[in-house]
Amino acid sequence: MQEFKQLHQQTTPFIIGNVWDAASARCAQQAGYQALGTSSAAIASLLGYEDGEHIPFAELVFMVRRIAAVSKLPLSVDIEAGFSRNPDVIAHHIQQLAALGVVGINLEDSRVDAERTLVPAEEFAAIVSGVKAILQQHQTEVFLNVRCDAFLLGLDHACAETVKRAQLYQRAGADGLFVPCLTQADDIKAVVAASWLPVNVMAMPDLPAFDELAGLGVKRISTGNFAHDAMHRYLLNLWGEIKQSGSYDSLFGTGTAG
C-alpha cells in the first residue's frame, strides 16, 4: 500500500493500467505500467452485465482474484458505490479484497437506480468517514480513492460542487480524489488547489497531454473502460472482415481489420 501511495507523489502523474481480466493485466504489466486498476464497466461488460452494481459482488471478487494471481503490480479495485449503502458492509467488501492483496479502492459518490444521481455530499462524506474508521479499527490499509461524479453527470456547477466535495472527502479520510470527465485546465487547477488530495483524471477525447496535466498538478491518470471498448471495436471489425472476405487472412496480419 505504501508503494502505491508513493506513486501518487511523483513529479509526473502515473498512468494506471485499467484492466478487466487476467489477460489484460498481463498486457499492462508487460507494457511497463506501474500499477493496475480494475474498470467496473469493463468487467461488467465482460460478464454480460450492465454497469452500475448489477454484477454480484462475489463475481467481482472472483475476477479480482484471477487478476491478482497473474500480476505482482499494485492493484486497485473499482467497487462503484460500495455494493451497499451501509459503511459496515462496504468496509467488509474492502477487507475481502484486501485479503487478496488489493492495495487501493475506488468508491464513487453517485448511485445508479432509475438513473445515475449524486449522493448528497454530507451523506457520502459520512459513509467515507465510517468506512475509513472501520478499516483503521481492523488495521486494513488501502488507498481510498474517492470518485466525484459532478463532471461525469454534466452538472452546470460541476467545478464548485467538486471543490466542495473534495474538501469534505479530505476531512472524511479519503486518500485521493478521482474526477472523471474533468478536462479543462481552469477546472483542473481549481480542483487540485481545493485540497491536498492527489487528483486523478480519466482518459477523455479532450483531455490535455500528460505533460500539461503534470504542470496542472494532476497525480494519476486512468484509462477507464476505453481500452476495453477499443479492443471490442477492433474485434467487431475483425469478425466483419473475416465474414466479408471469406478467409482468415485478418487473423494472421494480412487483412485490413483495425
Side-chain angles (χ1 to χ4, degrees):
M1 189 274 198
Q2 291 306 315
E3 176 187 351
F4 186 64
K5 192 172 184 178
Q6 286 302 312
L7 291 177
H8 295 77
Q9 302 303 326
Q10 301 177 130
T11 55
T12 56
F14 86 95
I15 318 304
I16 194 164
N18 285 120
V19 301
W20 51 91
D21 60 9
S24 59
R26 285 195 182 101
C27 287
Q29 180 165 294
Q30 290 170 10
Y33 282 79
Q34 295 176 289
L36 304 178
T38 64
S39 163
S40 63
I43 290 178
S45 175
L46 176 72
L47 297 177
Y49 295 100
E50 293 295 325
D51 193 24
E53 297 186 334
H54 292 287
I55 177 176
F57 187 74
E59 293 189 33
L60 174 61
V61 170
F62 172 80
M63 296 302 295
V64 171
R65 182 179 289 112
R66 296 315 310 150
I67 291 168
V70 302
S71 174
K72 299 301 183 185
L73 291 177
L75 175 61
S76 181
V77 173
D78 180 354
I79 62 168
E80 304 190 64
F83 289 81
S84 176
R85 309 300 179 246
N86 185 326
D88 290 287
V89 176
I90 296 172
H92 179 64
H93 287 159
I94 294 172
Q95 288 174 291
Q96 289 182 64
L97 296 170
L100 300 177
V102 169
V103 297
I105 292 293
N106 276 14
L107 186 66
E108 62 198 39
D109 65 0
S110 67
R111 295 173 185 158
V112 181
D113 294 312
E115 59 184 17
R116 184 178 290 275
T117 56
L118 279 180
V119 179
E122 290 76 11
E123 177 184 334
F124 191 76
I127 291 173
V128 172
S129 180
V131 168
K132 191 75 173 185
I134 296 165
L135 294 176
Q136 289 176 338
Q137 179 184 352
H138 291 275
Q139 298 183 324
T140 303
E141 291 192 17
V142 295
F143 187 95
L144 190 56
N145 199 36
V146 177
R147 189 178 106 176
C148 177
D149 281 350
F151 281 93
L152 184 147
L153 291 170
L155 300 186
D156 292 336
H157 56 293
C159 189
E161 185 67 23
T162 302
V163 164
K164 178 182 80 172
R165 287 172 180 257
Q167 295 165 351
L168 283 172
Y169 301 163
Q170 174 183 303
R171 291 195 293 270
D175 297 295
L177 180 72
F178 179 26
V179 190
C181 302
L182 174 64
T183 60
Q184 299 304 305
D186 287 346
D187 291 335
I188 294 171
K189 287 179 182 177
V191 171
V192 168
S195 74
W196 55 257
L197 297 176
V199 172
N200 177 183
V201 298
M202 185 178 75
M204 294 295 293
D206 54 348
L207 187 73
F210 296 165
D211 56 351
E212 183 178 349
L213 290 172
L216 294 170
V218 169
K219 293 298 185 181
R220 170 171 161 181
I221 307 171
S222 297
T223 315
N225 62 313
F226 295 112
H228 178 263
D229 290 350
M231 184 188 73
H232 280 273
R233 285 195 301 272
Y234 175 82
L235 181 60
L236 179 62
N237 290 338
L238 177 64
W239 285 135
E241 183 170 322
I242 290 169
K243 188 171 183 293
Q244 291 170 13
S245 69
S247 79
Y248 283 116
D249 288 349
S250 298
L251 286 179
F252 304 103
T254 55
T256 60

